[in-house]
Amino acid sequence: MRIFYFLSFLLLFTISSCDNELKVTADWKDTTVVFGLLDPLSDENYIRIERGYLGSEAASNSFSEPDSFFYSSLNVEMNWYDENDNIQGTVSLLEDRTKVLNDNGPFDVGQDYRLYKIPNGTPIDPAFEYELRIIKPNEEVTTARTRILNPDRIVINGSSLNSPNSNSPTLRSSTLNFRNSDGSERSSVAIFQVYMNFYWKEIDQTTGAVSLDSIRFKYGEQRARSEYVIGPSGGTDAMFALIANRIPQKENVLREFLKIKFEVWASDENLLVYSDLKTPSTGINQNRPNPADALGLVENGIGILASRYNKEYDNVQFNSSGNPVSLKDNLLINPNMCPLRFVRYQGTDTCICKDVGSTLTVECL
């Protein structure tokens, strides 16, 4: 009888101790998320600091709740150090709820959007290394460090852009040729991305109406090397084909070329490694970059602190002499451009492409 009671008790204990509940979420832990890209050419630099969302409900249930993404109070500092790691200065970042860096879509929290601004006048200088320090009450300090890119170390060769720093540089080639004057340092450019903006004016010959228009397209990126060649691989014909493909043909307009503007985006090794870590691998080679290679990865948090810059070359004109045909002439008589009715003014004459059988010529009226 005692054995019967003992076995019954043991069975009851075993059944009651079974827990079939499946826990799909981990215990909550505060995770600081940091995104900062320091630009030495910008008048304003911001750091985005958030908290990682973790809860038992779908994140969409908290899209409009700022406390789900932002801290109510933070002490954020920026220190900078010389090459011997001696501190050269420190500032406190300013919480800013007036600026939104992009369209947040469903994550719109209105005026509770929060960024942290580096005060105006703070030097963002390639001579220093910068440390971000985020201090939360009763929490570990979150830190990240980065060097700063030096835009002066990147030179556009004169063979592609004549006098690039003048008020009216001249494009001499369909490609831009960059030279990295110091490719040995980790603070040098690791990746380039260039956008080309093409501007023109249209005159409606029927109504006399004048309008301004433009197109923008992206050249392929170039990764770490001492020299960069950025532009269409097909040369001059390919460049004008890209332009012509975006401009509709119209019979009753004359078009006047105004200028080209190049936007040159450059980033450092930190951002390149971070981007590669976040990009899915689609090939056979599944090797991933080593996170330790990125100086700007965040300690006691996740995200990135890195350096980039955006350098513009505006009011770029086409060269007027070339062999066999200049870019300025190609604007009219290139086979892709001729149907678009671009004109060139020579004194009181208006010159336009004329299709004569198998040849293209310029006719001045």
Side-chain angles (χ1 to χ4, degrees):
M1 182 65 72
R2 291 180 179 179
I3 295 177
F4 172 78
Y5 284 122
F6 175 76
L7 293 176
S8 300
F9 173 76
L10 182 62
L11 179 62
L12 179 63
F13 177 79
T14 303
I15 294 174
S16 63
S17 65
C18 291
D19 184 1
N20 294 323
E21 181 182 356
L22 176 63
K23 297 182 67 175
V24 295
T25 58
D27 293 334
W28 186 85
K29 179 183 179 182
D30 183 77
T31 302
T32 304
V33 184
V34 178
F35 293 102
L37 299 175
L38 303 185
D39 186 341
L41 298 180
S42 177
D43 295 330
E44 295 183 327
N45 279 276
Y46 292 85
I47 306 294
R48 179 165 176 162
I49 304 173
E50 303 175 357
R51 59 171 56 182
Y53 176 82
L54 182 62
S56 58
E57 298 182 353
S60 58
N61 292 345
S62 302
F63 279 174
S64 61
E65 300 296 330
D67 288 344
S68 297
F69 306 104
F70 301 111
Y71 292 97
S72 59
S73 177
L74 284 179
N75 181 12
V76 185
E77 300 174 348
M78 181 74 77
N79 302 326
W80 54 96
Y81 303 82
D82 63 17
E83 59 182 6
N84 296 316
D85 211 33
N86 298 314
I87 190 167
Q88 298 299 303
T90 183
V91 294
S92 295
L93 274 59
L94 310 173
E95 185 183 272
D96 190 333
R97 302 193 182 192
T98 64
K99 188 176 182 66
V100 177
L101 294 183
N102 50 44
D103 180 9
N104 286 287
F107 294 91
D108 186 5
V109 292
Q111 294 183 350
D112 282 313
Y113 186 92
R114 298 165 202 175
L115 294 171
Y116 292 83
K117 181 180 180 180
I118 300 174
N120 292 343
T122 302
I124 306 298
D125 195 315
F128 304 123
E129 185 174 301
Y130 288 76
E131 178 188 47
L132 179 70
R133 294 178 57 83
I134 304 169
I135 303 153
K136 299 170 290 184
N138 302 319
E139 295 280 352
E140 291 182 311
V141 177
T142 298
T143 63
R145 291 178 72 137
T146 189
R147 299 181 179 94
I148 303 299
L149 287 177
N150 188 345
D152 294 335
R153 288 185 177 154
I154 299 301
V155 179
I156 296 184
N157 295 340
S159 59
S160 60
L161 195 63
N162 186 39
S163 303
N165 297 318
S166 69
N167 292 329
S168 184
T170 302
L171 184 65
R172 303 173 62 179
S173 169
S174 61
T175 58
L176 292 182
N177 296 278
F178 296 87
R179 178 170 51 84
N180 196 343
S181 63
D182 188 352
S184 61
E185 296 188 11
R186 291 177 63 184
S187 58
S188 63
V189 172
I191 185 171
F192 270 114
Q193 179 69 71
V194 175
Y195 294 86
M196 178 176 175
N197 303 270
F198 182 91
Y199 299 85
W200 75 91
K201 178 169 65 176
E202 287 191 5
I203 303 99
D204 190 304
Q205 292 180 288
T206 303
T207 65
V210 177
S211 61
L212 303 178
D213 210 339
S214 66
I215 55 175
R216 182 175 186 261
F217 54 87
K218 180 173 68 173
Y219 285 149
E221 66 182 34
Q222 286 282 346
R223 296 198 171 204
R225 59 183 67 182
S226 59
E227 293 186 357
Y228 306 80
V229 180
I230 297 178
S233 59
T236 299
D237 287 341
M239 181 184 74
F240 282 110
L242 286 173
I243 295 172
N245 188 52
R246 298 278 300 277
I247 302 177
Q249 296 184 21
K250 298 180 181 178
E251 294 297 330
N252 297 318
V253 302
L254 296 178
R255 290 181 165 113
E256 179 185 353
F257 166 74
L258 297 178
K259 68 175 183 177
I260 284 174
K261 179 175 73 174
F262 289 106
E263 302 171 38
V264 180
W265 290 89
S267 67
D268 63 6
E269 187 73 16
N270 294 348
L271 188 57
L272 178 59
V273 171
Y274 182 80
S275 176
D276 285 345
L277 286 170
K278 295 296 183 181
T279 301
S281 181
T282 58
I284 297 176
N285 185 3
Q286 298 294 312
N287 293 330
R288 310 297 289 167
N290 183 357
D293 291 339
L295 175 69
L297 293 183
V298 178
E299 184 175 346
N300 294 324
I302 61 174
I304 185 71
L305 180 67
S307 178
R308 70 169 180 186
Y309 64 76
N310 175 23
K311 196 170 187 177
E312 294 186 350
Y313 298 90
D314 203 357
N315 199 30
V316 178
Q317 300 295 312
F318 287 123
N319 71 316
S320 57
S321 60
N323 185 18
V325 180
S326 69
L327 295 179
K328 190 173 183 179
D329 289 332
N330 266 286
L331 181 63
L332 272 65
I333 64 173
N334 182 277
N336 294 297
M337 298 298 296
C338 185
L340 300 181
R341 299 177 60 79
F342 275 86
V343 300
R344 185 170 69 228
Y345 299 109
Q346 294 183 185
T348 59
D349 293 335
T350 300
C351 303
I352 192 169
C353 179
K354 184 177 181 181
D355 189 348
V356 183
S358 61
T359 61
L360 300 176
T361 61
V362 175
E363 181 179 65
C364 295
L365 307 176

Short mmCIF file of all heavy atoms in Angstrom, two decimals, residues 321-350:
data_model
loop_
_atom_site.label_atom_id
_atom_site.label_comp_id
_atom_site.label_asym_id
_atom_site.label_seq_id
_atom_site.Cartn_x
_atom_site.Cartn_y
_atom_site.Cartn_z
N SER A 321 37.27 71.17 -77.10
CA SER A 321 38.24 70.64 -78.05
C SER A 321 38.55 69.20 -77.68
O SER A 321 38.65 68.86 -76.50
CB SER A 321 39.54 71.46 -78.03
OG SER A 321 40.13 71.43 -76.75
N GLY A 322 38.65 68.34 -78.69
CA GLY A 322 38.90 66.93 -78.42
C GLY A 322 39.25 66.20 -79.69
O GLY A 322 39.12 66.74 -80.79
N ASN A 323 39.71 64.98 -79.55
CA ASN A 323 40.12 64.18 -80.69
C ASN A 323 39.41 62.83 -80.63
O ASN A 323 39.61 62.09 -79.68
CB ASN A 323 41.65 63.99 -80.66
CG ASN A 323 42.15 63.27 -81.89
OD1 ASN A 323 41.47 63.21 -82.92
ND2 ASN A 323 43.36 62.73 -81.79
N PRO A 324 38.58 62.52 -81.62
CA PRO A 324 38.31 63.33 -82.82
C PRO A 324 37.22 64.37 -82.62
O PRO A 324 37.16 65.37 -83.34
CB PRO A 324 37.87 62.28 -83.84
CG PRO A 324 37.21 61.23 -83.00
CD PRO A 324 37.96 61.18 -81.71
N VAL A 325 36.29 64.13 -81.64
CA VAL A 325 35.18 65.05 -81.44
C VAL A 325 35.10 65.40 -79.96
O VAL A 325 35.19 64.52 -79.10
CB VAL A 325 33.84 64.42 -81.91
CG1 VAL A 325 32.69 65.40 -81.69
CG2 VAL A 325 33.92 64.00 -83.36
N SER A 326 34.94 66.68 -79.64
CA SER A 326 34.88 67.11 -78.25
C SER A 326 33.54 66.69 -77.63
O SER A 326 32.58 66.37 -78.32
CB SER A 326 35.02 68.63 -78.16
OG SER A 326 33.87 69.26 -78.71
N LEU A 327 33.50 66.72 -76.30
CA LEU A 327 32.24 66.42 -75.62
C LEU A 327 31.18 67.47 -75.95
O LEU A 327 29.99 67.16 -76.03
CB LEU A 327 32.46 66.35 -74.10
CG LEU A 327 33.35 65.21 -73.60
CD1 LEU A 327 33.48 65.28 -72.08
CD2 LEU A 327 32.78 63.86 -74.00
N LYS A 328 31.60 68.70 -76.14
CA LYS A 328 30.65 69.75 -76.49
C LYS A 328 30.02 69.48 -77.84
O LYS A 328 28.81 69.70 -78.04
CB LYS A 328 31.36 71.11 -76.48
CG LYS A 328 30.45 72.31 -76.60
CD LYS A 328 31.22 73.60 -76.42
CE LYS A 328 30.30 74.81 -76.47
NZ LYS A 328 31.05 76.08 -76.26
N ASP A 329 30.79 68.98 -78.80
CA ASP A 329 30.24 68.62 -80.11
C ASP A 329 29.37 67.37 -80.00
O ASP A 329 28.32 67.27 -80.65
CB ASP A 329 31.36 68.38 -81.12
CG ASP A 329 32.06 69.67 -81.53
OD1 ASP A 329 31.39 70.72 -81.49
OD2 ASP A 329 33.26 69.62 -81.86
N ASN A 330 29.80 66.41 -79.17
CA ASN A 330 29.02 65.19 -78.98
C ASN A 330 27.63 65.47 -78.43
O ASN A 330 26.69 64.72 -78.69
CB ASN A 330 29.75 64.23 -78.04
CG ASN A 330 30.60 63.21 -78.78
OD1 ASN A 330 30.08 62.28 -79.37
ND2 ASN A 330 31.91 63.42 -78.76
N LEU A 331 27.51 66.54 -77.67
CA LEU A 331 26.21 66.92 -77.13
C LEU A 331 25.19 67.12 -78.23
O LEU A 331 23.99 66.89 -78.04
CB LEU A 331 26.35 68.19 -76.29
CG LEU A 331 25.11 68.73 -75.60
CD1 LEU A 331 24.59 67.74 -74.57
CD2 LEU A 331 25.41 70.07 -74.94
N LEU A 332 25.66 67.53 -79.42
CA LEU A 332 24.76 67.75 -80.54
C LEU A 332 24.73 66.56 -81.49
O LEU A 332 23.66 66.07 -81.85
CB LEU A 332 25.18 69.01 -81.32
CG LEU A 332 24.59 70.34 -80.85
CD1 LEU A 332 25.09 70.68 -79.46
CD2 LEU A 332 24.95 71.45 -81.84
N ILE A 333 25.90 66.07 -81.89
CA ILE A 333 25.94 65.13 -83.03
C ILE A 333 26.16 63.68 -82.63
O ILE A 333 26.25 62.81 -83.50
CB ILE A 333 27.03 65.55 -84.04
CG1 ILE A 333 28.43 65.47 -83.41
CG2 ILE A 333 26.76 66.94 -84.57
CD1 ILE A 333 29.55 65.70 -84.41
N ASN A 334 26.24 63.39 -81.33
CA ASN A 334 26.25 61.99 -80.95
C ASN A 334 24.95 61.34 -81.42
O ASN A 334 23.88 61.94 -81.28
CB ASN A 334 26.40 61.87 -79.43
CG ASN A 334 26.47 60.43 -78.96
OD1 ASN A 334 25.43 59.79 -78.79
ND2 ASN A 334 27.67 59.92 -78.76
N PRO A 335 24.99 60.13 -81.99
CA PRO A 335 23.77 59.51 -82.53
C PRO A 335 22.63 59.41 -81.53
O PRO A 335 21.45 59.48 -81.91
CB PRO A 335 24.25 58.12 -82.96
CG PRO A 335 25.70 58.29 -83.25
CD PRO A 335 26.19 59.31 -82.26
N ASN A 336 22.96 59.26 -80.23
CA ASN A 336 21.91 59.19 -79.22
C ASN A 336 21.32 60.57 -78.90
O ASN A 336 20.16 60.67 -78.51
CB ASN A 336 22.45 58.57 -77.94
CG ASN A 336 22.85 57.12 -78.10
OD1 ASN A 336 22.02 56.28 -78.38
ND2 ASN A 336 24.14 56.83 -77.95
N MET A 337 22.15 61.63 -79.07
CA MET A 337 21.72 62.95 -78.67
C MET A 337 21.05 63.74 -79.79
O MET A 337 20.22 64.63 -79.51
CB MET A 337 22.93 63.74 -78.14
CG MET A 337 23.60 63.13 -76.93
SD MET A 337 22.53 63.05 -75.47
CE MET A 337 22.24 64.79 -75.17
N CYS A 338 21.38 63.44 -81.04
CA CYS A 338 20.87 64.24 -82.17
C CYS A 338 19.35 64.39 -82.15
O CYS A 338 18.84 65.50 -82.35
CB CYS A 338 21.35 63.62 -83.49
SG CYS A 338 20.89 64.59 -84.96
N PRO A 339 18.56 63.33 -81.90
CA PRO A 339 17.10 63.49 -81.93
C PRO A 339 16.54 64.35 -80.79
O PRO A 339 15.36 64.71 -80.84
CB PRO A 339 16.59 62.04 -81.81
CG PRO A 339 17.75 61.17 -82.17
CD PRO A 339 18.96 61.92 -81.71
N LEU A 340 17.36 64.68 -79.81
CA LEU A 340 16.86 65.43 -78.65
C LEU A 340 16.87 66.93 -78.87
O LEU A 340 16.41 67.69 -78.02
CB LEU A 340 17.68 65.07 -77.40
CG LEU A 340 17.64 63.59 -77.00
CD1 LEU A 340 18.48 63.36 -75.75
CD2 LEU A 340 16.21 63.13 -76.77
N ARG A 341 17.45 67.40 -79.99
CA ARG A 341 17.37 68.80 -80.41
C ARG A 341 18.06 69.76 -79.44
O ARG A 341 17.55 70.83 -79.10
CB ARG A 341 15.92 69.21 -80.64
CG ARG A 341 15.22 68.39 -81.73
CD ARG A 341 13.76 68.77 -81.89
NE ARG A 341 13.58 70.16 -82.26
CZ ARG A 341 13.74 70.68 -83.47
NH1 ARG A 341 14.10 69.88 -84.49
NH2 ARG A 341 13.54 71.96 -83.71
N PHE A 342 19.26 69.37 -78.99
CA PHE A 342 20.08 70.31 -78.24
C PHE A 342 20.72 71.30 -79.21
O PHE A 342 21.07 70.93 -80.33
CB PHE A 342 21.16 69.57 -77.44
CG PHE A 342 20.69 69.08 -76.11
CD1 PHE A 342 20.05 67.85 -76.00
CD2 PHE A 342 20.84 69.85 -74.96
CE1 PHE A 342 19.59 67.39 -74.78
CE2 PHE A 342 20.39 69.40 -73.73
CZ PHE A 342 19.76 68.16 -73.64
N VAL A 343 20.87 72.53 -78.78
CA VAL A 343 21.41 73.58 -79.63
C VAL A 343 22.67 74.16 -79.01
O VAL A 343 22.94 73.99 -77.81
CB VAL A 343 20.39 74.71 -79.86
CG1 VAL A 343 19.14 74.17 -80.54
CG2 VAL A 343 20.05 75.42 -78.55
N ARG A 344 23.46 74.84 -79.84
CA ARG A 344 24.62 75.59 -79.39
C ARG A 344 24.57 76.96 -80.04
O ARG A 344 24.31 77.07 -81.24
CB ARG A 344 25.91 74.85 -79.76
CG ARG A 344 27.15 75.52 -79.19
CD ARG A 344 28.38 74.66 -79.35
NE ARG A 344 28.78 74.53 -80.75
CZ ARG A 344 29.08 73.38 -81.33
NH1 ARG A 344 28.97 72.24 -80.64
NH2 ARG A 344 29.46 73.33 -82.58
N TYR A 345 24.82 77.99 -79.24
CA TYR A 345 24.79 79.35 -79.77
C TYR A 345 26.19 79.80 -80.14
O TYR A 345 27.13 79.69 -79.34
CB TYR A 345 24.17 80.30 -78.74
CG TYR A 345 22.74 79.94 -78.39
CD1 TYR A 345 22.42 79.42 -77.14
CD2 TYR A 345 21.73 80.11 -79.32
CE1 TYR A 345 21.12 79.08 -76.82
CE2 TYR A 345 20.41 79.77 -79.01
CZ TYR A 345 20.12 79.25 -77.77
OH TYR A 345 18.82 78.92 -77.46
N GLN A 346 26.35 80.24 -81.35
CA GLN A 346 27.62 80.79 -81.85
C GLN A 346 27.34 82.20 -82.36
O GLN A 346 26.86 82.37 -83.48
CB GLN A 346 28.19 79.92 -82.96
CG GLN A 346 28.60 78.55 -82.48
CD GLN A 346 29.23 77.70 -83.57
OE1 GLN A 346 29.52 76.53 -83.36
NE2 GLN A 346 29.44 78.26 -84.76
N GLY A 347 27.65 83.19 -81.52
CA GLY A 347 27.32 84.56 -81.87
C GLY A 347 25.81 84.73 -81.94
O GLY A 347 25.09 84.45 -80.98
N THR A 348 25.33 85.13 -83.10
CA THR A 348 23.88 85.28 -83.30
C THR A 348 23.25 84.04 -83.91
O THR A 348 22.03 84.01 -84.13
CB THR A 348 23.59 86.49 -84.20
OG1 THR A 348 24.26 86.30 -85.47
CG2 THR A 348 24.09 87.78 -83.56
N ASP A 349 24.07 83.02 -84.19
CA ASP A 349 23.56 81.80 -84.83
C ASP A 349 23.14 80.77 -83.76
O ASP A 349 23.73 80.67 -82.69
CB ASP A 349 24.62 81.18 -85.74
CG ASP A 349 24.93 82.06 -86.93
OD1 ASP A 349 24.05 82.85 -87.32
OD2 ASP A 349 26.05 81.96 -87.46
N THR A 350 22.12 79.98 -84.14
CA THR A 350 21.69 78.84 -83.34
C THR A 350 22.00 77.59 -84.12
O THR A 350 21.48 77.39 -85.23
CB THR A 350 20.19 78.91 -83.05
OG1 THR A 350 19.90 80.11 -82.32
CG2 THR A 350 19.75 77.71 -82.21
#
